[in-house]
Amino acid sequence: MTIPSYQECMKPILSFLSDKKEHTVKEIDEHIAFVFNLSDEEKQQKLPSGGTFLYKSRSNWARVYLSKAGLILKPKKAVFKISDEGIKLNAGSSVTNIDKDILMRYNSFKEFIEVSRVHKEKASHPNVTVESTHEDTPDITFEASFNQINSALADDLITEMKNINNYQFEQLVLDLLKAVGYGVDGEIRVTQKSRDNGIDGIISEDKLGFSKIYVQIKKYAVDNKVSRPELQTFVGAIAGLDGKGLFVTLSDFTEGAKEYAKSQNLVLINGQTLAKLMIEHNFGVSIKKIYEIKAIDSDLFADYTN
């Protein structure tokens, strides 16, 4: 039997997780190898770039897509379980296989695909129809895939941050701000917990300390959004301190909170933005593979033809 595509892996993965227990990535990959009766030779086959086994890569992308549709959950690193929506879909007698068309029934997956489509549209020539994937140039396809990989990585980073305590999360955020380049010589002062008035860190933007950024950090569960009253309390705490405010949360902000922040000297960072900053500044991530996309050096060849 040939190695299954990532879409062919989705139904077996959902069925395997239908026992409602938590299962590791290793267990899921072993199940895929068993279901498709992969030979030792097939299990050793790697991607053209090397490094990753092909069937494990496809199993991984099946999990990513199922997660984006909300059909499976990732309670902790390298562990998955089925969601209530996943149980409903798996129990449906009419569903014998799962593909992207089925996943498009779910808004969270449609949003994920839309982000990829927008990236394609920005990268494409105006005459290229991005909805018709067979017309995409390799550059467009590569960029879209790159953005999907980073989106999946951002989700993994958020999962990792869920599993650390509040104090560790605060320290992680402050360390990230240093890595981004905030603070004079990378220094950020951490406030004493007993007298912080909701301020977790103070960033000096100049050596004399005239310009400051006051930071408040709230871990919060992903579904617990920061509301306007919490921002108002923070603004009250920094009132008269002659500085800017930065509010960071692992969750998100309500629309009311976002509108209020616009009227104040206040910057908001949610979990997705936090993860993107980590990826951009190589904080909490490592470089797995570097691809160099090269083009003709027209200037060099012009020297030969003149």
Side-chain angles (χ1 to χ4, degrees):
M1 183 174 286
T2 58
I3 297 174
S5 68
Y6 76 89
Q7 293 192 94
E8 290 173 321
C9 290
M10 289 196 284
K11 175 61 174 176
I13 289 175
L14 201 64
S15 296
F16 180 61
L17 296 176
S18 64
D19 62 3
K20 303 180 184 179
K21 298 178 181 178
E22 294 184 355
H23 289 280
T24 65
V25 166
K26 181 181 179 182
E27 290 173 330
I28 296 170
D29 288 344
E30 288 175 349
H31 180 70
I32 290 297
F34 171 76
V35 168
F36 291 95
N37 194 28
L38 299 182
S39 66
D40 290 339
E41 182 179 355
E42 288 168 332
K43 286 189 284 187
Q44 292 301 313
Q45 186 175 337
K46 294 186 177 182
L47 293 171
S49 59
T52 304
F53 294 108
L54 181 56
Y55 85 98
K56 289 186 177 182
S57 174
R58 291 177 176 175
S59 174
N60 172 66
W61 278 107
R63 294 191 300 271
V64 169
Y65 277 39
L66 290 169
S67 295
K68 290 295 185 180
L71 299 173
I72 65 174
L73 307 171
K74 189 177 183 182
K76 50 193 173 185
K77 182 178 180 180
V79 173
F80 290 86
K81 64 180 295 186
I82 197 167
S83 69
D84 291 341
E85 281 299 324
I87 292 170
K88 290 179 186 177
L89 180 63
N90 189 67
S93 58
S94 62
V95 179
T96 56
N97 69 293
I98 300 173
D99 56 21
K100 286 178 69 175
D101 289 338
I102 288 180
L103 298 188
M104 288 296 286
R105 300 175 185 174
Y106 302 93
N107 289 333
S108 58
F109 185 76
K110 284 195 285 189
E111 290 170 5
F112 170 64
I113 294 299
E114 176 63 14
V115 168
S116 299
R117 189 195 66 79
V118 169
H119 282 299
K120 281 185 179 183
E121 194 168 37
K122 288 180 178 179
S124 65
H125 187 276
N127 293 328
V128 175
T129 305
V130 296
E131 286 78 5
S132 301
T133 56
H134 65 278
E135 295 183 7
D136 290 345
T137 66
D139 281 353
I140 297 169
T141 301
F142 185 91
E143 182 167 341
S145 298
F146 176 80
N147 285 303
Q148 284 192 346
I149 290 169
N150 275 353
S151 177
L153 176 57
D155 287 347
D156 286 342
L157 285 169
I158 290 173
T159 298
E160 291 292 328
M161 288 187 279
K162 286 180 189 175
N163 294 325
I164 61 179
N165 63 41
N166 292 343
Y167 174 75
Q168 291 167 333
F169 178 67
E170 290 176 10
Q171 190 61 55
L172 180 147
V173 170
L174 295 175
D175 288 342
L176 172 61
L177 292 174
K178 291 179 186 178
V180 170
Y182 283 101
V184 179
D185 297 325
E187 288 299 319
I188 297 177
R189 182 160 63 88
V190 180
T191 60
Q192 296 182 28
K193 296 301 170 187
S194 59
R195 302 196 301 273
D196 65 4
N197 293 318
I199 300 170
D200 298 306
I202 302 173
I203 303 171
S204 293
E205 293 190 280
D206 61 79
K207 291 187 176 181
L208 296 179
F210 287 116
S211 181
K212 290 185 172 66
I213 299 173
Y214 297 94
V215 186
Q216 184 167 41
I217 304 165
K218 295 294 184 184
K219 184 165 176 267
Y220 286 175
V222 173
D223 58 350
N224 181 17
K225 294 185 178 181
V226 177
S227 61
R228 176 173 177 147
E230 290 169 282
L231 297 189
Q232 290 174 320
T233 300
F234 178 49
V235 169
I238 64 176
L241 296 179
D242 193 24
K244 307 168 187 175
L246 172 63
F247 199 111
V248 184
T249 182
L250 187 58
S251 60
D252 203 350
F253 301 89
T254 64
E255 290 304 314
K258 292 175 184 177
E259 287 300 317
Y260 175 72
K262 291 178 183 177
S263 66
Q264 305 295 319
N265 199 12
L266 192 61
V267 174
L268 308 180
I269 294 180
N270 64 11
Q272 284 293 327
T273 302
L274 192 63
K276 288 177 182 177
L277 284 172
M278 294 174 73
I279 294 169
E280 180 181 349
H281 294 275
N282 291 326
F283 185 88
V285 299
S286 59
I287 296 173
K288 181 178 180 181
K289 188 84 174 179
I290 295 176
Y291 295 90
E292 293 183 335
I293 299 178
K294 300 181 180 182
I296 290 289
D297 184 346
S298 300
D299 292 338
L300 182 145
F301 282 96
D303 291 338
Y304 289 104
T305 54
N306 288 337

